[in-house]
Every structure is written in structure tokens, then in C-alpha cells.
Amino acid sequence: MSDRYSVFSLIANAFTGQKGWRPAWRDAAPKPSYDVIVIGGGGHGLATAYYLAKEHGIRNVAVLEKGHIGSGNAGRNTTIIRSNYLLPGNEPFYEWSMKLWEGLEQDVNYNSMVSQRGVLNLYHSDAQRDAYARRANSMRLAGADSELLDREQVRAFAPFLNHDDARFPIQGGLLQRRGGTARHDAVVWGYARAADRLGVDIVQNCEVTGFIRENGAVVGVETTRGPVRANKVGLAVAGSTSRLTRHLDMRLPIESHVLTAFVSEGLKPLVPGVVTFGMGHFYVSQSDKGGLVFGGDIDGYNSYAQRGNLPVVEDVCEAGMALLPQIGRVRMLRSWGGIMDMSMDGSPIIDVTPIPGFYLNCGWNYGGFKATPASGWCFAWTLAKDAPHALNAAYRLDRFRTGHVIDEKGVGAQPNLH
Amino acid sequence: MRLPCPYCGLRDAHEFSYLGDATPKRPDASAPDAADAFHDYVYLRDNPAGPMKELWYHSAGCRRWIVVERDTRTHAVLGATLASGDAA
């Protein structure tokens, strides 16, 4: 039976008792050595392995994951995809990510449920409108789509919002119609399956506990399943980055913080696409099951605990009530925390490092999900060519030393404010 | 989460503002390696998973800076002193 998912394989399996399917990826045991090891079996790590095999022909690759794939931030985010950034270092990268999202399902032959129903950022003041107009223009300069909506257009697009709030009436919004959501787990599974088909070993329950060094270079890793050697080792472990670079005596411009996300009970269709409040940190979308998926600020202090505290729960729910008063009686089903690798300027790092054989992909703050395809694509390029691609050329590790920081919010070296 | 302010006692974390790691010390600006030292001081962090000393400001209380030792894996607070080094 064909490995390729299609309507024909679906029909054929329907007539043969669904017995023709095989696991979407092999449960590989680690080999003694590889060309490239990618640490971290989240979206970014798996995408990196996939693009290494597909774009660069490097198929002797292992992805090492301490738990099961997608069990970290890849399974804990709010699944928003968008490319509505301002700065030249960021916007082309995120727009490339958006383009990869648009072709992802065909590319990896997996339904990632990419749903481009629009991302609407609301503004509530003249100054905010001006800032969004500038951002909309900057997006267009990078080839992305953007529309500045006035009050009536927002009312038509999202009639269910609290437009006439006494304190923060909605004046308009910045809409990116190509933005939306994707199914986070399916993204992980799709990349895993596609990478596996190209020969990549996905090794689960294999925690990296240290690095093997020779003449200063990284030549492999120590794991809970024995040592594994490689010519190149790439790190894509988000909030756990500092835990691993500690073994290399490498201090990074990164702090780990906890971000809480929430989901409500299932409702009938209410929110199309994604809406963000402009007078408090709150963003909401609705899953295909009907639950409102929403979130807000990070807790604001260093944490590896994967759970937040009540002040942020209260803050997020207050902002939600200001924007959508009708959800006041809706029950919150679950909330959960993920560990964000907050960088000192709010932008990521995809770069070679001063240590030969060691490559870094980190600093995603709380915007890593939307970047998954481009992050993998650019990190694969960086690993294969020993140099960054033009799209991630600004995401240098040494930009903090040289002053070329990419600070979208302009708040300075204070990770809990990004 | 509640923090044990040396002046005010156990208070809700809501009353405090967070600065971050209390370990980095402002380097000497006139030293020959000041550029490197300031890069380290401003940008690089140990980011420990475990006990960490960090600066909190009791903005809705006594308005003193305090150094709290807290386990970043569990949020358990292990102790607090005034950042000035004074006794409370």
C-alpha cells in the first residue's frame, strides 16, 4: 500500500479494514553517529531535520527528544500564524514562514489544518492607529498583505466585539487576512512523518545530558540512551536552551519565563480567525472543536515550572471580558503553562556559534509557533552551509555585542517586558 | 505566589515588580574591558533551573528593593533580604 495519504489510499483502506496503515514515523533507536544531530523534537527541531533532508540532501540526521515529540511548547501554544511584524530584520523572515505555511500541507502530505481566516489587531487610539499604519506599510514592503480597517470595517468583520466600550472603544484594526491558525500537533506529526520518510531518525525518550568535546569542538552528545556522535549539533529546545548550554559554559541573552494559555468549553462558532485586544494583552481564536483559545502576558518572572500563577489568569480574563463581555458565563476548561525562551530584544537567534560544530536556534519568546517552518528552513540552511541565510542573517548571536538588536517593542534588555 | 518582604511580611506577588537576576553587578565603566563587561552585565544571563537570587521591588508596599531566593522549577520561595544589605 502506498505511503502517501490521498483520497485513493483512504478509499483503498476503507475496503481492507483500515489494516494498510503503518506508523507515521519509526520509533528509532540512536545510532552511534550521524552527520547532524538536532536536539529537540518540537516543531522547530523536526522542521529543521525535514528541510536538512529535503533541501540539502543531508539525510543521516537524528532528532533527539527527551519526551515524546511535540510534548513541549509545540503542544502548548495558541496555534496562531501571522507575519505582521514591523522591523526589517523580522518581517521578511516571518513572511517566508507564512509562505511555507501556505504550502505546508502539500509539501509534507499531511493535513496541518492551516486556516487563513485573518488576524485582526485592534486599535483604540489615534497613536495606536498611526503605529499600525506604519506596521501595515512595513509589512507590504516585505511582500505581506495588510489592511488598515476603520471602525465600521471592524464592526462588519467582527460584529461580536464590544465596540463601544466606555473606556476603550474600538477605533479600527490592522488586519492580515492571510494570518490565522494551524493545528499544532498535526504540524509536529506532519514534519515528523515527512522527515522520517526521508531517512531522519526520530529518537524519543532520549534526553541529552551533556556534550562530547574534542579540541574545543562539539562532536556529539551524551544522552540517557548512550553517547551519540555527529559532525554538527543543532540546538532547538526553546525554554530549555540555557539548561543545555550550561554544559558548554555558554551564557546566553535568554531568560526562561512561563506563559499561560487557556481554552474554554466548546461553543458554537463565534470568533473567525484571531482577534487581539489593543488595550491589554489578550488574543483569542476559536478551535475547530469550538473552544475559545486565548492568552495574554507572561507571568513576568523566571520560571521553568510549566505553570503560571493566578494574577495573570485574572488579568487575561479581565481583558477578555473587556473585549468580549458575552463570554462572562463561559467556563474555562483548562489552562497550562509553557516555558518561553525570552531573549533580551524580543527576537530570536538562529546562528552558528563560537564553538565549532555547535549551532543555536533559540530566543523565540512567545512567538515560536508561527515561525516553525521558516525557523526549520533557516536553521537547516545554517547547519548545512555553516552560515546564515539572508532571511536569518539578522538573528545573530553577537548582535547584542554589536548593537544590532531587533527590538519590536522598544523596551530594551528586559525579557519580561517583550 | 507570595513573597516574604523583610519589612512588610508575606505579601502577594502582585504588589511587587520584577527586575531579574540579582547576580550581575554593574561593572567599572573606566576599566579597559568595559565594553565586554557591560555586554555581559546587560545581556548575558545564567538563567538557572533551580534556586535563583532575583531582584523584586515592593512597589505597592514599602518601596524597597529586595533580593528573593526562589526555585525557578517550583516557584518555592527560599528567603528574602533587603537589596541594600540593611537589616530590616
Side-chain angles (χ1 to χ4, degrees), chain B:
Chain B
M1 194 162 74
R2 283 181 293 180
L3 301 177
C5 174
Y7 272 129
C8 312
L10 207 55
R11 305 297 300 174
D12 193 298
H14 230 156
E15 295 182 2
F16 298 80
S17 307
Y18 185 75
L19 183 67
D21 195 339
T23 325
K25 295 284 175 259
R26 190 178 177 82
D28 176 5
S30 59
D33 64 344
D36 273 347
F38 268 93
H39 169 252
D40 279 25
Y41 168 70
V42 175
Y43 293 114
L44 301 188
R45 296 290 178 265
D46 290 329
N47 195 19
M52 173 180 180
K53 287 193 167 146
E54 51 196 18
L55 283 163
W56 293 79
Y57 176 60
H58 198 179
S59 44
C62 59
R63 296 200 278 165
R64 294 293 299 259
W65 283 95
I66 62 174
V67 176
V68 175
E69 190 171 12
R70 192 177 58 91
D71 192 323
T72 58
R73 293 165 304 182
T74 60
H75 300 162
V77 176
L78 309 171
T81 56
L82 290 173
S84 62
D86 299 343

Side-chain angles (χ1 to χ4, degrees), chain A residues 20 28 121 168 183 216 272 363:
Chain A
N121 304 120
F168 304 123
R183 169 92 167 89

Side-chain angles (χ1 to χ4, degrees), chain A residues 239 242-243 246 250-258 299-311 314 344 397-398 400-403 405 413-414 416, chain B residues 1-2 12-14 17-21 23-24 35-50 52 54 56 70-76:
Chain A
S242 301
R243 280 175 146 170
R246 187 170 55 86
M250 185 184 248
R251 296 168 78 231
L252 293 174
I254 298 266
E255 287 182 4
S256 294
H257 285 255
V258 61
D299 271 38
Y301 43 81
N302 286 44
S303 172
Y304 284 89
Q306 287 194 326
R307 60 187 159 76
N309 273 306
L310 289 172
E314 186 179 15
M344 284 289 175
L397 177 58
D398 68 358
F400 303 93
R401 188 182 294 276
T402 60
V405 292
Q414 195 61 38
N416 61 343
Chain B
M1 194 162 74
R2 283 181 293 180
D12 193 298
H14 230 156
S17 307
Y18 185 75
L19 183 67
D21 195 339
T23 325
D36 273 347
F38 268 93
H39 169 252
D40 279 25
Y41 168 70
V42 175
Y43 293 114
L44 301 188
R45 296 290 178 265
D46 290 329
N47 195 19
M52 173 180 180
E54 51 196 18
W56 293 79
R70 192 177 58 91
D71 192 323
T72 58
R73 293 165 304 182
T74 60
H75 300 162

